[in-house]
């Protein structure tokens, strides 16, 4: 009789645990969706902020100043996924690859108030153990300040927030950085790398322009060129501030570039005529990987 009662308690505990996990899963989903596929941007931002502060309290993220010094690392050994071979619809690219796209958030002290704030950018995972890519300038650029920037965290598509632990390899000229975040016992979805885009090739981007999280844009590659002795590609797929470090996909869903910067082109009357959207070809990222 005692054995049966113990077995019953075990089964009841297991059921309660499963129900608790189910509730947690639903809670994570409600953090950024009012209904499936409808994102609440402010809720995403609040969630990252709250989780980042919890991680900061437990000293999980590496100090920003330390991450900046690690930008001198120039190679890392990684095992990458095999590239996709079959063309897919644009909607399938988003459905398949959004889980590998990250929000990369820098925590910084405010000059105007006693609080800390977040500066959101983009990134993507290339290896399951928490190895990801973003722009070099996220760790050292015009917007960064090692005196006020405290740490960096990432959030995945499901709403899980992880601490960034180290920069593994980086290139200033190519504006790319490979970093590691602590998956804390879990695993993450990864994205395969393809080949550089050529003019006329269809491309698409998943990024977070001005904290409009998980936006999908598409267009074509329009030219490849050298600028400041670095190879770049221009695309017509839209992006803006907050998109830095995002993956650029080909029509198979492979990463063919990394979002870097926009460059406004003016006429003699100083009116904007065109915006060049610069991405770093994936071949430049591959030079950092053994």
């Amino acid at each position: 009789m005692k054995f049966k009662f113990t077995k019953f308690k075990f089964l009841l505990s297991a059921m309660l645990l499963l129900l608790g996990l189910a509730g947690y899963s639903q809670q994570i989903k409600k953090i950024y969706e009012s209904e499936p596929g409808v994102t609440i941007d402010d809720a995403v931002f609040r969630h990252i902020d709250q989780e980042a502060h919890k991680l900061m309290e437990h000293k999980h993220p590496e100090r920003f100043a330390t991450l900046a010094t690690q930008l001198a690392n120039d190679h890392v050994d990684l095992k990458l996924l095999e590239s996709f071979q079959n063309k897919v619809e644009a909607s399938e690219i988003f459905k398949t690859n959004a889980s590998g796209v990250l929000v990369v958030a820098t925590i910084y002290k405010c000059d105007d108030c006693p609080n800390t704030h977040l500066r959101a950018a983009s990134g993507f995972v290339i290896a399951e153990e928490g190895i990801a890519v973003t722009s070099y300038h996220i760790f050292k650029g015009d917007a960064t300040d090692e005196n006020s920037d405290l740490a960096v965290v990432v959030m995945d598509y499901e709403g899980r927030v992880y601490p960034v632990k180290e920069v593994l390899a980086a290139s200033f000229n190519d504006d790319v950085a490979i970093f590691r975040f602590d998956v804390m016992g879990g695993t993450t979805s990864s994205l395969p790398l393809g080949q550089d885009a050529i003019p006329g090739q269809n491309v698409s981007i998943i990024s977070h322009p001005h904290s409009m999280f998980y936006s999908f844009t598409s267009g074509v590659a329009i030219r490849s060129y050298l600028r400041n002795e670095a190879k770049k590609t221009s695309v017509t797929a839209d992006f803006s501030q907050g998109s830095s470090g995002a993956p650029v996909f080909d029509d198979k869903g492979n990463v063919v570039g990394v979002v870097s910067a926009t460059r406004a082109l003016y006429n003699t009357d100083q009116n904007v005529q065109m915006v060049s959207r610069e991405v770093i070809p994936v071949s430049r990222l591959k030079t950092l990987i053994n």
Side-chain angles (χ1 to χ4, degrees):
M1 189 71 174
K2 184 177 180 181
F3 171 75
K4 289 184 178 179
F5 181 67
T6 302
K7 186 176 181 181
F8 172 76
K9 285 203 302 182
F10 173 78
L11 290 172
L12 180 62
S13 298
M15 289 175 64
L16 290 173
L17 177 61
L18 287 172
L19 287 172
L21 288 174
Y24 178 75
S25 176
Q26 290 174 2
Q27 182 184 10
I28 288 291
K29 189 172 185 178
K30 290 178 182 177
I31 282 167
Y32 64 91
E33 289 186 341
S34 59
E35 59 185 85
V38 180
T39 303
I40 308 171
D41 292 324
D42 290 344
V44 174
F45 213 88
R46 286 195 302 270
H47 172 61
I48 299 174
D49 189 44
Q50 291 168 1
E51 294 302 307
H53 280 85
K54 290 179 186 177
L55 292 171
M56 290 286 289
E57 288 173 8
H58 293 89
K59 299 181 180 179
H60 279 306
E62 184 54 80
R63 292 175 60 250
F64 186 89
T66 301
L67 296 174
T69 65
Q70 295 167 348
L71 292 167
N73 298 331
D74 59 6
H75 283 88
V76 61
D77 293 321
L78 290 178
K79 183 178 180 181
L80 302 173
L81 294 178
E82 293 291 331
S83 300
F84 295 138
Q85 300 301 317
N86 299 320
K87 291 184 180 180
V88 294
E89 295 294 328
S91 59
E92 280 299 312
I93 292 175
F94 183 87
K95 183 178 178 181
T96 301
N97 290 347
S99 60
V101 178
L102 302 170
V103 180
V104 180
T106 302
I107 310 160
Y108 67 94
K109 292 183 294 185
C110 182
D111 292 333
D112 302 319
C113 74
N115 300 322
T116 59
H117 301 287
L118 294 179
R119 187 167 60 245
S122 306
F124 58 98
V125 185
I126 58 173
E128 285 186 355
E129 58 269 28
I131 310 301
V133 175
T134 190
S135 296
Y136 182 103
H137 70 257
I138 300 306
F139 297 106
K140 197 173 185 70
D142 292 339
T144 65
D145 184 344
E146 292 176 24
N147 295 317
S148 58
D149 293 342
L150 303 176
V152 183
V153 300
V154 298
M155 188 195 81
D156 67 13
Y157 189 59
E158 299 302 321
R160 293 178 287 258
V161 179
Y162 305 100
V164 171
K165 303 299 285 186
E166 62 180 323
V167 176
L168 301 173
S171 168
F172 170 76
N173 280 346
D174 293 316
D175 193 26
V176 290
I178 301 173
F179 65 94
R180 180 179 68 84
F181 60 94
D182 186 355
V183 297
M184 297 187 287
T187 59
T188 54
S189 297
S190 306
L191 303 179
L193 305 185
Q195 304 298 318
D196 292 355
I198 60 174
Q201 181 178 336
N202 292 332
V203 295
S204 55
I205 296 169
I206 302 175
S207 70
H208 318 298
H210 284 272
S211 298
M212 296 170 58
F213 297 103
Y214 289 93
S215 298
F216 182 87
T217 60
S218 60
V220 296
I222 60 174
R223 67 188 296 253
S224 295
Y225 54 99
L226 285 180
R227 187 162 165 270
N228 297 328
E229 299 183 356
K231 184 180 178 182
K232 301 179 186 297
T233 300
S234 285
V235 300
T236 61
D238 240 343
F239 58 80
S240 71
Q241 181 179 332
S243 298
S244 293
V248 182
F249 301 105
D250 62 16
D251 54 11
K252 301 179 182 69
N254 299 306
V255 176
V256 297
V258 184
V259 169
S260 180
T262 59
R263 187 172 168 231
L265 308 178
Y266 299 87
N267 64 10
T268 54
D269 295 324
Q270 294 303 300
N271 296 316
V272 175
Q273 291 189 304
M274 181 179 174
V275 176
S276 174
R277 294 172 176 85
E278 297 183 344
V279 305
I280 307 305
V282 72
S283 60
R284 302 309 306 157
L285 170 61
K286 290 179 178 179
T287 63
L288 300 178
I289 301 171
N290 290 331

